[in-house]
Amino acid sequence: NGNEAGDVGSCVADAAVASAKPKPSSWASLLRPGGSPSGDSAWPSTSTSNLNGISQHQKYESLVDALQDMRVKFSPPLLQPRGLVNTGNMCFMNVVLQALLYCAPFYNMLFDIRQNVAFSFNQPTPLLEALIQFANEFKQDPTPVSFLLDEDTEPFVPENVYEALRQKNVFQTLRGQQEDAQEFMSYLVDGISQEMADILFQHQLKLSDRKTDDVSNAGGESEWQEVGPHNKASIVRDSSDTLVETPITKIFGGSIRSTLTVPHSVSAPSTRGRHSGKARPSSNREPFQWLALDISSDSVMSIEQALDEFVAPETIEGYTNIYGESVNATKQILIEKVPPVLVLHLKRFVFCHNEGVQKVQKFIQYPQELQLSPDWLAKSTAASKHRNAKYRLESVIYHHGSQASGGHYTCDLRRSEKAWLRFDDIDITILDSVDKVLDEKKDRSAYILFYTIC
């Protein structure tokens, strides 16, 4: 309430007057004991021996340097599990935070920034900073999980994440109202990526010494002609609205190719004097950070079948061609570039005219290892290198209940090669077999799947 906010502000002001501490020169120094918002730093400590203001382990002088140079790292750290307190319908946030924490490339990105970047209070990155502080709450510990859970691993409230969201004016009812886990994940990950892109964009402005207006339009849609299989030419447009590549797009970013084929004419050449047959296909290449899969069809009972449905050609009746004729066009979406981390969102909630939004309750099978089918990939040079791509399941976010506006969220996460954990807010359960993750569950439905490329 307002009184509490005032008290906090007074305490902060009093503390600042009482003892003016030197500004931290790095994330490591900010999160060391006495500087961490929650006390001791859970990440391994870094050397504090400085050379030109950078510790021995710091590789970068600025966040810009790190964002430009960062590579995707897959080796998963072994973390000491901790539950998250549900302060009132906050399970949607808890499962997403846990899933991102156990997504090795995402955690390693946070770890690299924390360890290797000189900290600056001037960076407009509240979401990134909140996630770094959140990850700092979890110790890296190779101890078998059965022993770790016997220890006193106190759950906590991710208040720093709440505060960052308040600054962004998103999910203002952070307590008391259920939200959708996929929508929250989308906002959080996109928001961090946008913070990074803004920093990189401003850096490019300084380097180019151009006005903002000159650069803001530099990322317009590009177009070129491409010759594909059987020497068939097509027009390709890149409608990506991302001007700057970020570590987030390196981790989650893929692209799809949407191809539209329109008949030239429905009339024969002898009667209309026009060129009949199909026009040259036109394609749009668009970025994605997760794929939303329609599972409403009776024929879809597995992830593979949902992906078959995703790439199936769609007939568009009554499409007007270049001659003004109404024809049947064909649209098809195929995957052009696969990401290191493939996130699949199962569209559980569908709108019915008579009943409103309803949940698709049926069980959808999902494999521990997902082999990409060539039928899902575009017939392009860019897609050819992904022909044998294989993914391993890392986490599953579940939705409990039958209503879109309520219910509950839990998640299963892979901690190590054979160790799976089930998180239900503050409760953590060790799963004795991956079958407990893959099998059908009567009280919950898989909603979001995280796969990492093998």
Side-chain angles (χ1 to χ4, degrees):
N1 58 41
N3 291 334
E4 289 177 349
D7 292 342
V8 172
S10 299
C11 291
V12 172
D14 293 344
V17 173
S19 58
K21 296 181 179 179
K23 291 184 178 181
S25 60
S26 67
W27 275 106
S29 58
L30 175 73
L31 299 177
R32 277 199 298 270
S36 171
S38 59
D40 292 349
S41 171
W43 268 321
S45 62
T46 55
S47 169
T48 56
S49 300
N50 288 337
L51 180 63
N52 297 325
I54 305 174
S55 74
Q56 290 179 358
H57 292 284
Q58 280 177 240
K59 295 190 298 184
Y60 308 109
E61 294 187 9
S62 69
L63 182 57
V64 168
D65 294 339
L67 298 182
Q68 291 177 328
D69 188 58
M70 200 159 290
R71 300 293 182 264
V72 178
K73 298 179 181 178
F74 293 95
S75 55
L78 291 177
L79 301 178
Q80 184 181 55
R82 294 186 68 181
L84 299 179
V85 176
N86 187 339
T87 58
N89 287 333
M90 301 302 291
C91 54
F92 73 95
M93 182 185 294
N94 289 347
V95 292
V96 170
L97 292 175
Q98 294 280 20
L100 290 174
L101 183 77
Y102 281 82
C103 174
F106 186 85
Y107 176 91
N108 289 333
M109 175 196 73
L110 299 177
F111 181 82
D112 281 351
I113 293 174
R114 186 263 181 186
Q115 296 289 80
N116 299 311
V117 176
F119 180 80
S120 171
F121 280 109
N122 298 322
Q123 299 288 8
T125 53
L127 289 178
L128 176 61
E129 293 167 16
L131 265 293
I132 290 176
Q133 292 173 9
F134 170 75
N136 185 64
E137 299 282 354
F138 296 81
K139 294 180 180 179
Q140 291 188 17
D141 193 333
T143 306
V145 69
S146 57
F147 295 102
L148 285 175
L149 292 185
D150 291 337
E151 298 179 6
D152 183 19
T153 55
E154 183 179 356
F156 68 100
V157 178
E159 187 62 44
N160 47 4
V161 180
Y162 294 173
E163 181 57 34
L165 292 169
R166 293 189 191 99
Q167 292 182 37
K168 295 282 188 174
N169 295 319
V170 173
F171 296 121
Q172 289 300 293
T173 56
L174 277 177
R175 291 180 176 84
Q177 180 177 326
Q178 180 68 281
E179 302 284 355
D180 182 79
Q182 192 278 329
E183 290 182 2
F184 171 69
M185 181 184 71
S186 177
Y187 173 79
L188 183 62
V189 175
D190 287 346
I192 295 172
S193 186
Q194 188 59 54
E195 289 180 350
M196 295 174 170
D198 289 344
I199 289 175
L200 293 170
F201 178 71
Q202 293 301 321
H203 177 68
Q204 289 180 356
L205 283 179
K206 292 179 182 179
L207 291 180
S208 62
D209 196 30
R210 290 187 290 178
K211 295 181 180 179
T212 303
D213 292 341
D214 296 334
V215 182
S216 61
N217 297 321
E221 186 177 89
S222 58
E223 177 178 306
W224 66 92
Q225 178 172 304
E226 180 178 274
V227 178
H230 311 295
N231 292 322
K232 291 184 178 179
S234 63
I235 299 298
V236 180
R237 297 180 181 87
D238 193 341
S239 57
S240 171
D241 58 1
T242 302
L243 296 180
V244 183
E245 184 181 51
T246 71
I248 292 293
T249 62
K250 291 178 182 179
I251 294 171
F252 299 104
S255 64
I256 57 174
R257 176 181 288 229
S258 176
T259 301
L260 181 68
T261 305
V262 184
H264 271 310
S265 175
V266 295
S267 305
S270 59
T271 59
R272 298 288 294 275
R274 296 174 182 164
H275 175 67
S276 63
K278 291 184 176 180
R280 181 181 298 168
S282 62
S283 298
N284 278 331
R285 192 166 63 191
E286 304 170 3
F288 71 84
Q289 292 196 140
W290 31 80
L291 296 179
L293 302 181
D294 186 352
I295 59 172
S296 60
S297 171
D298 292 338
S299 62
V300 174
M301 300 299 294
S302 69
I303 289 297
E304 292 87 347
Q305 291 171 343
L307 285 165
D308 287 340
E309 188 86 0
F310 181 79
V311 303
E314 173 189 0
T315 300
I316 305 175
E317 298 180 353
Y319 190 92
T320 302
N321 68 7
I322 58 175
Y323 299 111
E325 298 173 322
S326 180
V327 298
N328 290 342
T330 302
K331 177 183 178 181
Q332 185 176 27
I333 295 175
L334 293 167
I335 301 172
E336 173 124 330
K337 175 189 173 186
V338 303
V341 177
L342 178 62
V343 180
L344 302 178
H345 165 220
L346 307 188
K347 298 169 72 173
R348 288 280 176 190
F349 304 106
V350 297
F351 179 79
C352 302
H353 290 289
N354 297 328
E355 300 174 326
V357 178
Q358 298 294 311
K359 181 180 177 181
V360 179
Q361 295 273 28
K362 67 180 177 182
F363 173 61
I364 299 295
Q365 294 181 340
Y366 44 92
Q368 185 176 8
E369 286 194 352
L370 177 64
Q371 176 75 55
L372 296 192
S373 167
D375 295 337
W376 305 337
L377 302 176
K379 308 299 187 288
S380 65
T381 303
S384 62
K385 58 185 175 182
H386 306 308
R387 294 290 174 210
N388 298 316
K390 183 184 294 185
Y391 284 85
R392 179 173 57 188
L393 184 66
E394 299 292 343
S395 62
V396 183
I397 292 177
Y398 302 97
H399 180 266
H400 302 235
S402 59
Q403 301 298 320
S405 58
H408 183 56
Y409 288 100
T410 59
C411 59
D412 291 345
L413 308 174
R414 189 178 73 89
R415 180 180 184 259
S416 60
E417 190 64 32
K418 296 182 180 180
W420 281 83
L421 302 173
R422 178 161 295 168
F423 290 81
D424 184 352
D425 292 328
I426 64 173
D427 296 324
I428 306 173
T429 305
I430 300 174
L431 303 181
D432 55 18
S433 169
V434 70
D435 292 338
K436 296 289 182 65
V437 181
L438 304 176
D439 289 347
E440 181 176 3
K441 303 160 191 68
K442 299 298 183 183
D443 63 338
R444 68 196 73 186
S445 308
Y447 188 42
I448 303 172
L449 307 171
F450 282 67
Y451 281 92
T452 300
I453 200 164
C454 297

